[in-house]
Amino acid sequence: MNTKLAGPAAAPTGGIRLLPLLAAIAIMLGITAWPAALSGPQGGANHWAAMALFWAMSAGFVRGVGFMPRHRAWRLMFSGGACLLGIALAAVRMALLNSPQ
């Protein structure tokens, strides 16, 4: 009798996605080498930009290695689109803070 086991093997799978993975690696290396990139004009840390960028990095690694969570909310939170959204939010936040007023 041949029975299939339900469990982790039954989770949805995906292949490696190169673009989110490369974005996550670039964020990781960039922030490690140049942490001052996330500081405001007065030199203080920009926590909102850092949070958006680290969310983008996390989403890029999760989606980039091919892991797809079972729950829909987690899948959306760690998707390639979430990676792009996090990068965009960080860029907008830094541009607004560093623009001349």
Side-chain angles (χ1 to χ4, degrees):
M1 179 172 215
N2 189 3
T3 60
K4 290 189 176 188
L5 298 176
T13 59
I16 289 180
R17 302 285 186 224
L18 198 55
L19 190 58
L21 185 60
L22 290 176
I25 291 170
I27 293 167
M28 177 188 66
L29 293 175
I31 297 305
T32 300
W34 189 35
L38 289 175
S39 63
Q42 289 80 23
N46 187 338
H47 297 295
W48 289 105
M51 182 177 66
L53 207 53
F54 291 137
W55 170 44
M57 182 182 68
S58 300
F61 275 126
V62 169
R63 185 62 188 120
V65 298
F67 180 74
M68 291 180 59
R70 288 184 185 189
H71 197 274
R72 183 179 179 96
W74 291 116
R75 258 195 320 258
L76 289 174
M77 200 167 176
F78 294 110
S79 64
C83 179
L84 183 62
L85 179 62
I87 292 170
L89 287 174
V92 167
R93 176 72 178 172
M94 292 305 296
L96 289 176
L97 285 179
N98 293 324
S99 66
Q101 296 188 21

